[in-house]
Amino acid sequence: MILFERMKRAIALRKDDVFLRVEFANMASVAQVSRALRRLMADGIIVKLGVGVYAKAKKSVLSGNPIPVRPLGVFAPQALKKMGVELFVSPAVVEYNAGRTTQIPAGNVINTGERRITRKLAFGQQRVTYETNKKTPNRGD
């Protein structure tokens, strides 16, 4: 069985919809994995969300182009957890869930605590932005 078919089958059998390039490293050389991933993207089986981050794809009803099977806001936390990044609840989400504000948090914002993340995750016009916990100084009130 050629690598493309093995990777296609491995992706189809996975329960998770997002995966990293590193997960295929044991199948073949870097160049072979790269070629297979490009072919999978060309066939509309996967879409690229960032460097080394891919997601299962489906055909768009509107355009016919491949799109992720779930929104980017669902995939980004899964991908970051696979990379070992600890995630926290955004202060805006905490305020909204507690009923202290009626403003719904907009966009794909992920709180990474005090860890600074520079990895870009995006699909189309959707982008993930990162926020860090900024400790407010004690004013002695």
Side-chain angles (χ1 to χ4, degrees):
M1 185 183 306
I2 63 174
L3 179 62
F4 170 77
E5 294 296 329
R6 286 177 47 209
M7 288 177 67
K8 184 177 176 181
R9 185 169 161 231
I11 290 168
L13 294 175
R14 287 177 184 257
K15 290 182 181 177
D16 52 342
D17 295 327
V18 67
F19 49 92
L20 306 176
R21 172 194 198 92
V22 178
E23 296 175 34
F24 299 111
N26 62 348
M27 289 185 162
S29 71
V30 175
Q32 289 172 322
V33 171
S34 294
R35 280 193 298 272
L37 288 170
R38 279 194 302 271
R39 186 169 168 200
L40 288 166
M41 285 190 302
D43 289 354
I45 297 167
I46 61 172
V47 292
K48 187 173 185 175
L49 301 178
V51 176
V53 181
Y54 300 88
K56 288 183 182 178
K58 65 179 180 181
K59 191 177 263 190
S60 171
V61 177
L62 301 175
S63 67
N65 296 331
I67 59 171
V69 293
R70 294 213 172 95
L72 183 63
V74 174
F75 284 142
Q78 291 176 5
L80 290 169
K81 284 180 185 175
K82 283 188 172 192
M83 291 180 227
V85 177
E86 187 177 3
L87 304 177
F88 301 93
V89 179
S90 172
V93 173
V94 170
E95 292 291 316
Y96 178 75
N97 289 341
R100 291 189 287 266
T101 183
T102 57
Q103 291 183 342
I104 299 172
N108 297 312
V109 180
I110 297 176
N111 188 345
T112 58
E114 293 183 1
R115 185 169 176 178
R116 184 174 168 262
I117 304 290
T118 58
R119 179 176 290 267
K120 294 176 184 165
L121 294 176
F123 184 78
Q125 298 297 319
Q126 298 179 12
R127 306 231 181 284
V128 174
T129 54
Y130 305 101
E131 69 179 4
T132 57
N133 282 345
K134 297 177 181 93
K135 296 181 180 178
T136 55
N138 188 355
R139 298 184 184 145
D141 293 348

